[in-house]
PDB file of all heavy atoms in Angstrom:
ATOM      1  N   GLN A  50     269.010 -95.142 182.767  1.00  0.00           N
ATOM      2  CA  GLN A  50     267.795 -95.054 181.979  1.00  0.00           C
ATOM      3  C   GLN A  50     267.964 -95.956 180.768  1.00  0.00           C
ATOM      4  O   GLN A  50     268.924 -95.815 180.023  1.00  0.00           O
ATOM      5  CB  GLN A  50     267.546 -93.606 181.543  1.00  0.00           C
ATOM      6  CG  GLN A  50     266.235 -93.415 180.833  1.00  0.00           C
ATOM      7  CD  GLN A  50     265.917 -91.945 180.652  1.00  0.00           C
ATOM      8  OE1 GLN A  50     266.191 -91.136 181.511  1.00  0.00           O
ATOM      9  NE2 GLN A  50     265.341 -91.609 179.523  1.00  0.00           N
ATOM     10  N   ILE A  51     267.040 -96.901 180.602  1.00  0.00           N
ATOM     11  CA  ILE A  51     267.110 -97.806 179.459  1.00  0.00           C
ATOM     12  C   ILE A  51     265.772 -97.781 178.725  1.00  0.00           C
ATOM     13  O   ILE A  51     264.733 -97.516 179.314  1.00  0.00           O
ATOM     14  CB  ILE A  51     267.454 -99.249 179.866  1.00  0.00           C
ATOM     15  CG1 ILE A  51     266.382 -99.839 180.783  1.00  0.00           C
ATOM     16  CG2 ILE A  51     268.833 -99.334 180.478  1.00  0.00           C
ATOM     17  CD1 ILE A  51     266.497-101.326 181.004  1.00  0.00           C
ATOM     18  N   SER A  52     265.814 -98.069 177.449  1.00  0.00           N
ATOM     19  CA  SER A  52     264.574 -98.151 176.672  1.00  0.00           C
ATOM     20  C   SER A  52     264.020 -99.571 176.794  1.00  0.00           C
ATOM     21  O   SER A  52     264.749-100.525 177.085  1.00  0.00           O
ATOM     22  CB  SER A  52     264.828 -97.804 175.205  1.00  0.00           C
ATOM     23  OG  SER A  52     265.580 -98.826 174.593  1.00  0.00           O
ATOM     24  N   LEU A  53     262.731 -99.697 176.557  1.00  0.00           N
ATOM     25  CA  LEU A  53     262.135-101.036 176.529  1.00  0.00           C
ATOM     26  C   LEU A  53     262.719-101.858 175.392  1.00  0.00           C
ATOM     27  O   LEU A  53     262.852-103.074 175.510  1.00  0.00           O
ATOM     28  CB  LEU A  53     260.619-100.944 176.399  1.00  0.00           C
ATOM     29  CG  LEU A  53     259.862-100.726 177.702  1.00  0.00           C
ATOM     30  CD1 LEU A  53     258.369-100.624 177.444  1.00  0.00           C
ATOM     31  CD2 LEU A  53     260.144-101.818 178.706  1.00  0.00           C
ATOM     32  N   LEU A  87     253.948-102.764 182.300  1.00  0.00           N
ATOM     33  CA  LEU A  87     254.986-101.983 182.968  1.00  0.00           C
ATOM     34  C   LEU A  87     254.412-101.371 184.232  1.00  0.00           C
ATOM     35  O   LEU A  87     253.464-100.578 184.167  1.00  0.00           O
ATOM     36  CB  LEU A  87     255.505-100.895 182.031  1.00  0.00           C
ATOM     37  CG  LEU A  87     256.523 -99.921 182.600  1.00  0.00           C
ATOM     38  CD1 LEU A  87     257.763-100.646 183.106  1.00  0.00           C
ATOM     39  CD2 LEU A  87     256.885 -98.871 181.565  1.00  0.00           C
ATOM     40  N   LEU A 101     259.692 -99.136 170.478  1.00  0.00           N
ATOM     41  CA  LEU A 101     259.926 -99.293 171.914  1.00  0.00           C
ATOM     42  C   LEU A 101     261.176 -98.537 172.351  1.00  0.00           C
ATOM     43  O   LEU A 101     261.406 -98.350 173.538  1.00  0.00           O
ATOM     44  CB  LEU A 101     260.048-100.770 172.289  1.00  0.00           C
ATOM     45  CG  LEU A 101     258.772-101.597 172.249  1.00  0.00           C
ATOM     46  CD1 LEU A 101     259.053-103.020 172.709  1.00  0.00           C
ATOM     47  CD2 LEU A 101     257.677-100.982 173.101  1.00  0.00           C
ATOM     48  N   GLU A 102     261.974 -98.122 171.384  1.00  0.00           N
ATOM     49  CA  GLU A 102     263.181 -97.333 171.668  1.00  0.00           C
ATOM     50  C   GLU A 102     262.820 -95.990 172.310  1.00  0.00           C
ATOM     51  O   GLU A 102     263.658 -95.349 172.935  1.00  0.00           O
ATOM     52  CB  GLU A 102     263.967 -97.131 170.372  1.00  0.00           C
ATOM     53  CG  GLU A 102     265.370 -96.642 170.563  1.00  0.00           C
ATOM     54  CD  GLU A 102     266.272 -97.651 171.270  1.00  0.00           C
ATOM     55  OE1 GLU A 102     266.266 -98.828 170.896  1.00  0.00           O
ATOM     56  OE2 GLU A 102     266.981 -97.233 172.204  1.00  0.00           O
ATOM     57  N   HIS A 103     261.569 -95.572 172.163  1.00  0.00           N
ATOM     58  CA  HIS A 103     261.143 -94.270 172.679  1.00  0.00           C
ATOM     59  C   HIS A 103     260.459 -94.354 174.043  1.00  0.00           C
ATOM     60  O   HIS A 103     260.001 -93.349 174.562  1.00  0.00           O
ATOM     61  CB  HIS A 103     260.196 -93.597 171.684  1.00  0.00           C
ATOM     62  CG  HIS A 103     260.802 -93.448 170.322  1.00  0.00           C
ATOM     63  ND1 HIS A 103     261.827 -92.567 170.046  1.00  0.00           N
ATOM     64  CD2 HIS A 103     260.557 -94.099 169.160  1.00  0.00           C
ATOM     65  CE1 HIS A 103     262.171 -92.680 168.775  1.00  0.00           C
ATOM     66  NE2 HIS A 103     261.417 -93.596 168.218  1.00  0.00           N
ATOM     67  N   ILE A 104     260.370 -95.555 174.614  1.00  0.00           N
ATOM     68  CA  ILE A 104     259.792 -95.733 175.945  1.00  0.00           C
ATOM     69  C   ILE A 104     260.931 -96.073 176.889  1.00  0.00           C
ATOM     70  O   ILE A 104     261.593 -97.107 176.735  1.00  0.00           O
ATOM     71  CB  ILE A 104     258.722 -96.843 175.944  1.00  0.00           C
ATOM     72  CG1 ILE A 104     257.610 -96.505 174.951  1.00  0.00           C
ATOM     73  CG2 ILE A 104     258.155 -97.028 177.352  1.00  0.00           C
ATOM     74  CD1 ILE A 104     256.603 -97.612 174.754  1.00  0.00           C
ATOM     75  N   PHE A 105     261.164 -95.202 177.864  1.00  0.00           N
ATOM     76  CA  PHE A 105     262.313 -95.346 178.754  1.00  0.00           C
ATOM     77  C   PHE A 105     261.906 -95.735 180.164  1.00  0.00           C
ATOM     78  O   PHE A 105     260.846 -95.352 180.651  1.00  0.00           O
ATOM     79  CB  PHE A 105     263.119 -94.043 178.797  1.00  0.00           C
ATOM     80  CG  PHE A 105     263.854 -93.770 177.531  1.00  0.00           C
ATOM     81  CD1 PHE A 105     263.275 -92.999 176.540  1.00  0.00           C
ATOM     82  CD2 PHE A 105     265.112 -94.301 177.319  1.00  0.00           C
ATOM     83  CE1 PHE A 105     263.950 -92.750 175.356  1.00  0.00           C
ATOM     84  CE2 PHE A 105     265.796 -94.063 176.140  1.00  0.00           C
ATOM     85  CZ  PHE A 105     265.211 -93.287 175.155  1.00  0.00           C
ATOM     86  N   LEU A 106     262.792 -96.476 180.809  1.00  0.00           N
ATOM     87  CA  LEU A 106     262.644 -96.838 182.207  1.00  0.00           C
ATOM     88  C   LEU A 106     263.738 -96.146 183.001  1.00  0.00           C
ATOM     89  O   LEU A 106     264.917 -96.279 182.681  1.00  0.00           O
ATOM     90  CB  LEU A 106     262.803 -98.354 182.397  1.00  0.00           C
ATOM     91  CG  LEU A 106     261.877 -99.275 181.637  1.00  0.00           C
ATOM     92  CD1 LEU A 106     262.290-100.722 181.866  1.00  0.00           C
ATOM     93  CD2 LEU A 106     260.454 -99.068 182.078  1.00  0.00           C
ATOM     94  N   ASN A 107     263.347 -95.405 184.030  1.00  0.00           N
ATOM     95  CA  ASN A 107     264.325 -94.862 184.959  1.00  0.00           C
ATOM     96  C   ASN A 107     264.723 -95.998 185.890  1.00  0.00           C
ATOM     97  O   ASN A 107     263.882 -96.555 186.590  1.00  0.00           O
ATOM     98  CB  ASN A 107     263.719 -93.702 185.749  1.00  0.00           C
ATOM     99  CG  ASN A 107     264.649 -93.178 186.818  1.00  0.00           C
ATOM    100  OD1 ASN A 107     265.802 -93.587 186.910  1.00  0.00           O
ATOM    101  ND2 ASN A 107     264.145 -92.291 187.636  1.00  0.00           N
ATOM    102  N   VAL A 108     265.987 -96.361 185.866  1.00  0.00           N
ATOM    103  CA  VAL A 108     266.468 -97.475 186.683  1.00  0.00           C
ATOM    104  C   VAL A 108     267.610 -97.025 187.590  1.00  0.00           C
ATOM    105  O   VAL A 108     268.527 -97.775 187.875  1.00  0.00           O
ATOM    106  CB  VAL A 108     266.894 -98.672 185.801  1.00  0.00           C
ATOM    107  CG1 VAL A 108     265.691 -99.303 185.148  1.00  0.00           C
ATOM    108  CG2 VAL A 108     267.909 -98.259 184.751  1.00  0.00           C
ATOM    109  N   ARG A 114     261.503-101.180 189.150  1.00  0.00           N
ATOM    110  CA  ARG A 114     260.540-101.229 188.046  1.00  0.00           C
ATOM    111  C   ARG A 114     260.161-102.687 187.832  1.00  0.00           C
ATOM    112  O   ARG A 114     260.984-103.582 188.026  1.00  0.00           O
ATOM    113  CB  ARG A 114     261.151-100.666 186.764  1.00  0.00           C
ATOM    114  CG  ARG A 114     261.707 -99.268 186.865  1.00  0.00           C
ATOM    115  CD  ARG A 114     260.705 -98.216 187.298  1.00  0.00           C
ATOM    116  NE  ARG A 114     259.575 -98.052 186.437  1.00  0.00           N
ATOM    117  CZ  ARG A 114     259.484 -97.138 185.466  1.00  0.00           C
ATOM    118  NH1 ARG A 114     260.484 -96.312 185.247  1.00  0.00           N
ATOM    119  NH2 ARG A 114     258.398 -97.062 184.731  1.00  0.00           N
TER     120      ARG A 114
END
Side-chain angles (χ1 to χ4, degrees):
Q50 185 169 323
I51 62 168
S52 70
L53 277 179
L87 176 59
L101 288 183
E102 194 66 47
H103 304 290
I104 301 173
F105 289 93
L106 302 175
N107 175 7
V108 291
R114 305 302 300 265

